[in-house]
């Protein structure tokens, strides 16, 4: 499944300072669909190069990170259970505090 | 040389007396301006009562001066007299007169917000000027609130500007925010953002929230018309390591400028009751790719501890809430000062200078990131950023050997420096654990060096 993953608000620093990643991720172990929980595990294993604790806490993202699936807060689509589809765009963005 | 010295003294003394005279004149000017303002406002209200205008007929309260000043607003069919009248009657508080607050305040003053408040307790510094465009060089060393208010008054003498030269805390926030219709969060740290949002929920005020760092910005409106508050979105504070500051990570000056302008726009939309405020949505700005995306965010959370269904967050609870403890970070942006090492593992910049003067062999490791090292560094320093320290220990052994410092001394005369003396302590902890048991850090880092040893050494 082709997905576009974007990292912002400083999270790109955890993956070699690359903001946009066009990736191919497929459901594992014969699962019928790919959900956000699977994608997070995949991202952690394949894209996060340093300080994984700055990206994840337990199964989910750490506090202060917004996750957007097709420009929509994942809270509105089922969070970790959100089902992903071909060509979906997933954004991980760390909230900023500076000014 | 002597004649030169005499000139310098003469110029300094002349500058001093001119500055004193200037300050005196400025005080008199602002006094007169205040008088004039009050008289103008009085006249404006007299004129708008209708009797003086005689034959001109208008069913609004705009004086001829106001009609002329705001004519381009009045010409907008979707804004017009009603929108402008609403703005003139509104009151807006901008918290923070920094990178975000600067443009926000300038545009809010220009657009005629009836009462415009500004909160800040900082003073204007030279390293603010690249982004905090409301301030001018002549205000360096003076309170930001005074500088910002002066700039706003020079743009629009018809509105009321209120100066709150205080640090916003739970003890004074309710009282200050309660005086305004709309709040603009232009602060720069996590605890302030939670505190301001909670205060807005308690008082029922809409909050225009902006943030910027590096080359990115974010903007949204909280607690507006049933929309979410900051805590609905971020119920748990992020780890402190995820809260970067402009003073550490840098910021391109225009980025907070753009977000600050957008904050003013959202505040003007709410004040004038036109358009769709950015509630339930968030605007993300990426300067490098020139992309602005607006995304849909969650609505008010029923479980929110502050604004949710069963939340009973009262004014008293707000006053007693410890936001610094909640977020594990300081309300002021003063950099933290760690104290991780025993005294014998530290050396002052003066002591190091004495050793260098005596000609003692030493190795100095600068653990700042490479782009910091490129700004300025001490002579003979080797740059090994903290993040790669463990991998590059052989380079340190090699440097020690080259200086003739034997292994038996286990890193005697091995010194570590960073910008302020925090990372250098972390580095020394690593070095100690790897056998360099005599490594020491320079207390206070390069900032201490500049302060105590070499005042000409650049700081940033």
């Amino acid at each position: 499944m082709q997905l576009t993953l974007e990292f912002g608000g400083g999270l790109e620093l955890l993956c070699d300072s690359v903001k946009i990643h066009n990736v191919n991720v497929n459901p594992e172990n014969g699962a019928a669909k790919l959900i956000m929980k699977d994608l997070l595990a995949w991202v952690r294993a394949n894209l996060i190069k340093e300080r994984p604790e700055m990206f994840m806490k337990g199964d989910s993202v750490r506090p202060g990170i917004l996750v957007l699936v097709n420009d929509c807060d994942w809270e509105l689509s089922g969070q970790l259970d959100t089902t992903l589809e071909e060509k979906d765009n997933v954004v991980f963005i760390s909230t900023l505090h500076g000014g | 040389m002597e004649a030169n010295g005499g000139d310098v003294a003469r110029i300094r003394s002349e500058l001093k007396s001119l500055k004193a005279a200037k300050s005196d004149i400025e005080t008199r000017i602002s006094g007169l301006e205040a008088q004039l303002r009050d008289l103008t406002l009085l006249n404006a209200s007299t004129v708008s009562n209708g009797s003086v205008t005689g034959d001109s007929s208008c069913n609004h309260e705009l004086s001829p001066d106001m009609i002329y000043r705001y004519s381009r607003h009045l010409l907008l069919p979707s804004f017009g007299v009603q929108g402008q009248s609403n703005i003139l009657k509104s009151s807006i508080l901008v918290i923070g007169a920094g990178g975000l607050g600067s443009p926000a305040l300038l545009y809010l003053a220009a657009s005629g917000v009836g009462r415009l408040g500004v909160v800040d307790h900082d003073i204007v510094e030279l390293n603010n000027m690249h982004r905090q465009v409301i301030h001018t060089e002549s205000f360096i060393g003076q309170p930001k609130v005074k500088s910002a208010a002066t700039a706003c008054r020079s743009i629009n003498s018809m509105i009321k500007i209120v100066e709150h030269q205080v640090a916003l805390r739970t003890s004074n926030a309710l009282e200050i925010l309660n005086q305004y219709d709309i709040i603009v969060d232009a602060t720069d740290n996590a605890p302030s953002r939670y505190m301001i949002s909670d205060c807005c929920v308690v008082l029922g005020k809409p909050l225009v929230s902006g943030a910027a760092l590096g080359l990115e910005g974010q903007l949204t409106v909280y607690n507006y018309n049933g929309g979410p508050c900051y805590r609905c979105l971020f119920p748990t504070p992020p780890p402190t390591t995820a809260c970067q500051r402009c003073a550490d990570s840098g910021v391109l000056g225009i980025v907070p400028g753009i977000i600050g302008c957008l904050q003013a726009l959202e505040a003007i939309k709410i004040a004038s009751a036109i358009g769709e405020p950015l509630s339930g949505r968030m605007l993300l700005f990426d300067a490098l790719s020139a992309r602005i995306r607006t995304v849909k965010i969650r609505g008010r959370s029923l479980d929110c501890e502050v604004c949710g269904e069963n939340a009973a967050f009262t004014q008293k609870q707000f006053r007693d809430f410890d936001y610094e403890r909640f977020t594990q970070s300081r309300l002021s942006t003063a950099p933290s000062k760690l104290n991780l090492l025993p005294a014998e593992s530290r050396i002052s910049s003066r002591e190091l200078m004495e050793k260098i003067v005596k000609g003692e062999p030493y190795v100095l490791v600068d653990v700042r990131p490479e782009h910091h090292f490129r700004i300025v560094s001490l002579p003979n320093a080797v740059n090994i950023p903290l993040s790669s320290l463990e991998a590059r220990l052989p380079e340190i052994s090699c440097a020690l050997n080259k200086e003739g410092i034997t292994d038996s001394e286990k890193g005697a005369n091995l010194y570590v420096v960073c910008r302020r003396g925090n990372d250098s302590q972390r580095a020394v902890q690593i070095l100690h654990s790897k056998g360099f048991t005599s490594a020491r850090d320079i207390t206070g880092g390069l900032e201490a060096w500049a302060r105590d040893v070499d005042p000409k050494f650049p700081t940033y």
Side-chain angles (χ1 to χ4, degrees), chain B residues 165-226:
Chain B
Q165 200 193 310
V166 292
L168 197 71
R169 296 290 182 265
T170 53
S171 54
N172 58 15
L174 287 162
E175 187 204 329
I176 296 174
L177 270 65
N178 203 24
Q179 301 166 36
Y180 298 87
D181 303 330
I182 301 163
I183 311 301
V184 175
D185 183 346
T187 61
D188 57 3
N189 61 83
S192 292
R193 291 181 182 279
Y194 278 100
M195 178 177 73
I196 291 165
S197 174
D198 289 357
C199 191
C200 285
V201 171
V202 169
L203 297 171
K205 309 276 182 186
L207 171 63
V208 181
S209 178
L213 187 82
L215 294 144
E216 286 180 75
Q218 299 169 354
L219 172 80
T220 189
V221 173
Y222 291 116
N223 199 44
Y224 177 78
N225 227 355

Side-chain angles (χ1 to χ4, degrees), chain B residues 431-447:
Chain B
L431 289 169
H432 284 183
S433 73
K434 300 289 176 188
F436 297 89
T437 49
S438 302
R440 286 195 274 178
D441 99 300
I442 298 172
T443 312
L446 293 174
E447 286 191 351

Side-chain angles (χ1 to χ4, degrees), chain A residues 6-10 12-13 19-20 50-51 53-54 57 62-68 71-76 89 91 93-99, chain B residues 98-100 131 187-190 193 211-213 216-218 230 233-234 236-239 241-244 246 282 284 286 291 293 295-298:
Chain A
E6 294 183 44
F7 296 82
E12 69 280 5
L13 299 175
K19 283 191 166 176
I20 300 180
E50 56 178 282
R51 295 176 289 161
E53 73 282 3
M54 291 299 285
K57 188 174 179 190
R62 68 150 168 84
I65 293 181
L66 280 180
V67 182
L68 308 159
D71 284 350
C72 194
D73 190 343
W74 74 338
E75 285 282 333
L76 300 168
N89 174 280
V91 177
I93 194 144
S94 178
T95 175
L96 304 177
H97 304 97
Chain B
L100 298 164
R131 69 187 190 285
T187 61
D188 57 3
N189 61 83
R193 291 181 182 279
L213 187 82
E216 286 180 75
Q218 299 169 354
Y230 190 66
L233 232 64
F234 305 109
T236 312
T241 40
C243 299
Q244 301 172 63
C246 293
M282 182 179 279
L284 308 169
D286 180 8
R291 275 202 307 175
R293 89 197 303 159
V295 300
K296 192 168 162 34
I297 54 173
R298 68 202 74 170

Side-chain angles (χ1 to χ4, degrees), chain B residues 45-362:
Chain B
S45 57
T46 316
V47 168
S48 64
N49 281 341
S51 58
V52 186
T53 47
D55 55 354
S56 77
S57 113
C58 39
N59 53 359
H60 55 71
E61 297 182 343
L62 301 184
S63 66
D65 271 357
M66 287 173 173
I67 290 178
Y68 193 54
R69 175 185 283 265
Y70 304 117
S71 57
R72 272 54 174 173
H73 277 177
L74 306 179
L75 288 167
L76 281 168
S78 56
F79 192 83
V81 168
Q82 191 57 54
Q84 188 62 46
S85 299
N86 289 345
I87 291 189
L88 290 165
K89 281 183 222 139
S90 73
S91 55
I92 300 181
L93 178 70
V94 177
I95 308 174
L100 298 164
S102 289
L105 282 161
L106 292 172
Y107 273 104
L108 291 173
S111 66
V113 170
R115 191 159 43 85
L116 182 58
V118 51
V119 184
D120 208 308
H121 68 290
D122 273 347
I123 56 160
V124 181
E125 293 179 67
L126 181 62
N127 64 10
N128 300 150
M129 309 305 290
H130 84 290
R131 69 187 190 285
Q132 303 184 13
V133 294
I134 201 168
H135 309 298
T136 52
E137 287 182 6
S138 57
F139 277 95
I140 288 174
Q142 296 199 56
K144 284 188 182 175
V145 161
K146 187 182 168 200
S147 164
T150 306
C152 289
R153 285 185 187 120
S154 68
I155 288 173
N156 194 343
S157 60
M158 296 172 85
I159 62 169
K160 190 165 171 51
I161 313 281
V162 187
E163 303 178 25
H164 301 278
Q165 200 193 310
V166 292
L168 197 71
R169 296 290 182 265
T170 53
S171 54
N172 58 15
L174 287 162
E175 187 204 329
I176 296 174
L177 270 65
N178 203 24
Q179 301 166 36
Y180 298 87
D181 303 330
I182 301 163
I183 311 301
V184 175
D185 183 346
T187 61
D188 57 3
N189 61 83
S192 292
R193 291 181 182 279
Y194 278 100
M195 178 177 73
I196 291 165
S197 174
D198 289 357
C199 191
C200 285
V201 171
V202 169
L203 297 171
K205 309 276 182 186
L207 171 63
V208 181
S209 178
L213 187 82
L215 294 144
E216 286 180 75
Q218 299 169 354
L219 172 80
T220 189
V221 173
Y222 291 116
N223 199 44
Y224 177 78
N225 227 355
C229 78
Y230 190 66
R231 289 228 209 191
C232 294
L233 232 64
F234 305 109
T236 312
T240 49
T241 40
C243 299
Q244 301 172 63
R245 308 174 327 125
C246 293
D248 293 329
S249 306
V251 61
L252 193 71
I254 192 167
V255 174
I258 289 164
I259 299 296
C261 284
L262 290 168
Q263 286 184 278
L265 173 60
E266 289 305 312
I268 287 169
K269 278 160 61 184
I270 297 172
S272 59
I274 60 146
E276 280 175 73
L278 193 71
S279 167
R281 294 179 294 154
M282 182 179 279
L283 182 147
L284 308 169
F285 172 60
D286 180 8
L288 274 192
S289 60
R291 275 202 307 175
I292 294 180
R293 89 197 303 159
T294 306
V295 300
K296 192 168 162 34
I297 54 173
R298 68 202 74 170
R300 172 159 290 178
S301 161
L302 299 178
D303 305 327
C304 177
E305 287 188 22
V306 174
C307 77
E309 291 280 272
N310 302 314
F313 197 77
T314 62
Q315 298 204 359
K316 175 164 193 324
Q317 277 170 296
F318 171 77
R319 269 193 215 99
D320 295 342
F321 198 91
D322 188 341
Y323 287 91
E324 295 191 327
R325 214 173 119 197
F326 178 60
T327 57
Q328 293 291 304
S329 45
R330 303 280 304 276
L331 276 160
S332 67
T333 48
S336 56
K337 282 215 184 307
L338 294 179
N339 210 346
L340 305 174
L341 300 174
E344 64 270 21
S345 295
R346 314 201 69 182
I347 181 170
S348 74
S349 48
R350 282 205 190 93
E351 288 172 80
L352 178 65
M353 185 60 189
E354 283 161 21
K355 286 176 183 291
I356 294 173
V357 170
K358 274 189 219 152
E360 284 185 29
Y362 68 97

